[in-house]
Amino acid sequence: MSETYINTVEVLQNEYYSIFAECEITYSEIENAETHPYGDGFATQHYSEVQVEDVEILCWYREFDCDPEMEQWIPEHMKFYSGSDGLSYETKQKIIRTAETSIDSNILL
């Protein structure tokens, strides 16, 4: 059974701004068991794995590193973007990889 999870990941940080992306991640949780020799018998280790099925970029935005007085002069079209508009292919792939790796630590807690 697939579940969805929305996560915000940081993609880029430089001296002027940081870029964040909000992603919807579709995943399945898989239960596994491995049996190992232990003493005179065997021991079974049970664990869960997360299998990412899809990552959709819902939006991305810039947070500028400046005074609030200066930030008010930055146009909205330079701060917030819907979907993956304006992102290069490499940046999209980086967002997807970062979202995929971040879900393990957030879901399996």
Side-chain angles (χ1 to χ4, degrees), residues 10-19 62-66:
E10 185 173 3
V11 182
L12 171 80
Q13 183 178 15
N14 62 30
E15 60 187 274
Y16 304 110
Y17 58 84
S18 297
I19 294 179
R62 290 184 178 107
E63 286 186 0
F64 288 87
D65 186 23
C66 62

Short mmCIF file of all heavy atoms in Angstrom, two decimals, residues 10-19 62-66:
data_model
loop_
_atom_site.label_atom_id
_atom_site.label_comp_id
_atom_site.label_asym_id
_atom_site.label_seq_id
_atom_site.Cartn_x
_atom_site.Cartn_y
_atom_site.Cartn_z
N GLU A 10 16.29 21.44 1.54
CA GLU A 10 17.13 22.56 1.13
C GLU A 10 17.99 22.12 -0.03
O GLU A 10 18.66 21.09 0.04
CB GLU A 10 18.01 23.04 2.29
CG GLU A 10 18.80 24.27 1.95
CD GLU A 10 19.54 24.85 3.14
OE1 GLU A 10 19.50 24.28 4.24
OE2 GLU A 10 20.19 25.89 2.95
N VAL A 11 17.96 22.89 -1.10
CA VAL A 11 18.64 22.51 -2.32
C VAL A 11 19.96 23.25 -2.49
O VAL A 11 20.95 22.68 -2.90
CB VAL A 11 17.74 22.79 -3.54
CG1 VAL A 11 18.42 22.35 -4.81
CG2 VAL A 11 16.40 22.11 -3.39
N LEU A 12 19.96 24.53 -2.15
CA LEU A 12 21.14 25.36 -2.41
C LEU A 12 21.22 26.44 -1.34
O LEU A 12 20.21 26.96 -0.89
CB LEU A 12 21.02 26.03 -3.79
CG LEU A 12 22.06 27.08 -4.12
CD1 LEU A 12 23.35 26.42 -4.56
CD2 LEU A 12 21.56 28.01 -5.21
N GLN A 13 22.43 26.74 -0.95
CA GLN A 13 22.64 27.87 -0.04
C GLN A 13 23.89 28.59 -0.48
O GLN A 13 24.93 27.99 -0.68
CB GLN A 13 22.80 27.37 1.40
CG GLN A 13 22.96 28.51 2.39
CD GLN A 13 23.05 28.00 3.82
OE1 GLN A 13 23.28 26.83 4.06
NE2 GLN A 13 22.90 28.89 4.75
N ASN A 14 23.76 29.90 -0.68
CA ASN A 14 24.92 30.72 -0.98
C ASN A 14 24.85 31.97 -0.11
O ASN A 14 24.02 32.06 0.79
CB ASN A 14 25.03 31.03 -2.49
CG ASN A 14 23.86 31.83 -3.00
OD1 ASN A 14 23.25 32.62 -2.28
ND2 ASN A 14 23.54 31.63 -4.27
N GLU A 15 25.70 32.95 -0.37
CA GLU A 15 25.73 34.12 0.51
C GLU A 15 24.54 35.05 0.32
O GLU A 15 24.31 35.92 1.15
CB GLU A 15 27.04 34.89 0.30
CG GLU A 15 27.22 35.40 -1.12
CD GLU A 15 28.59 36.02 -1.32
OE1 GLU A 15 28.75 37.22 -1.04
OE2 GLU A 15 29.48 35.27 -1.76
N TYR A 16 23.74 34.86 -0.73
CA TYR A 16 22.62 35.76 -1.00
C TYR A 16 21.26 35.16 -0.66
O TYR A 16 20.36 35.87 -0.24
CB TYR A 16 22.62 36.17 -2.48
CG TYR A 16 23.92 36.80 -2.89
CD1 TYR A 16 24.79 36.15 -3.75
CD2 TYR A 16 24.30 38.05 -2.39
CE1 TYR A 16 25.99 36.72 -4.13
CE2 TYR A 16 25.50 38.63 -2.75
CZ TYR A 16 26.34 37.96 -3.63
OH TYR A 16 27.54 38.52 -3.98
N TYR A 17 21.10 33.87 -0.88
CA TYR A 17 19.80 33.23 -0.63
C TYR A 17 19.96 31.73 -0.49
O TYR A 17 20.99 31.15 -0.82
CB TYR A 17 18.80 33.55 -1.75
CG TYR A 17 19.25 33.14 -3.13
CD1 TYR A 17 19.08 31.84 -3.59
CD2 TYR A 17 19.86 34.06 -3.98
CE1 TYR A 17 19.50 31.47 -4.85
CE2 TYR A 17 20.29 33.69 -5.23
CZ TYR A 17 20.09 32.40 -5.67
OH TYR A 17 20.51 32.02 -6.91
N SER A 18 18.89 31.10 0.00
CA SER A 18 18.79 29.63 0.06
C SER A 18 17.58 29.23 -0.76
O SER A 18 16.59 29.96 -0.82
CB SER A 18 18.59 29.16 1.50
OG SER A 18 19.70 29.50 2.29
N ILE A 19 17.67 28.08 -1.41
CA ILE A 19 16.55 27.56 -2.18
C ILE A 19 16.02 26.31 -1.48
O ILE A 19 16.78 25.42 -1.13
CB ILE A 19 16.96 27.22 -3.63
CG1 ILE A 19 17.33 28.49 -4.38
CG2 ILE A 19 15.83 26.48 -4.35
CD1 ILE A 19 17.78 28.26 -5.81
N ARG A 62 12.79 30.82 -2.72
CA ARG A 62 14.05 31.37 -2.25
C ARG A 62 13.81 32.11 -0.94
O ARG A 62 12.83 32.82 -0.80
CB ARG A 62 14.62 32.37 -3.25
CG ARG A 62 15.13 31.78 -4.52
CD ARG A 62 15.76 32.88 -5.37
NE ARG A 62 16.31 32.36 -6.59
CZ ARG A 62 15.76 32.53 -7.79
NH1 ARG A 62 14.66 33.22 -7.91
NH2 ARG A 62 16.32 32.01 -8.85
N GLU A 63 14.72 31.94 -0.01
CA GLU A 63 14.74 32.75 1.19
C GLU A 63 16.01 33.60 1.11
O GLU A 63 17.11 33.07 1.14
CB GLU A 63 14.74 31.88 2.45
CG GLU A 63 13.41 31.24 2.72
CD GLU A 63 13.37 30.50 4.05
OE1 GLU A 63 14.39 30.48 4.78
OE2 GLU A 63 12.32 29.93 4.34
N PHE A 64 15.80 34.90 0.98
CA PHE A 64 16.93 35.82 0.80
C PHE A 64 17.55 36.16 2.15
O PHE A 64 16.86 36.32 3.14
CB PHE A 64 16.47 37.09 0.09
CG PHE A 64 16.17 36.86 -1.37
CD1 PHE A 64 14.91 36.45 -1.77
CD2 PHE A 64 17.15 37.03 -2.32
CE1 PHE A 64 14.63 36.23 -3.10
CE2 PHE A 64 16.88 36.81 -3.65
CZ PHE A 64 15.62 36.39 -4.05
N ASP A 65 18.88 36.25 2.15
CA ASP A 65 19.62 36.59 3.35
C ASP A 65 19.88 38.10 3.35
O ASP A 65 20.95 38.56 2.98
CB ASP A 65 20.94 35.81 3.40
CG ASP A 65 21.68 36.02 4.70
OD1 ASP A 65 21.03 36.38 5.70
OD2 ASP A 65 22.91 35.83 4.71
N CYS A 66 18.84 38.86 3.73
CA CYS A 66 18.96 40.31 3.78
C CYS A 66 18.02 40.84 4.85
O CYS A 66 17.21 40.11 5.41
CB CYS A 66 18.66 40.94 2.42
SG CYS A 66 17.00 40.66 1.83
#
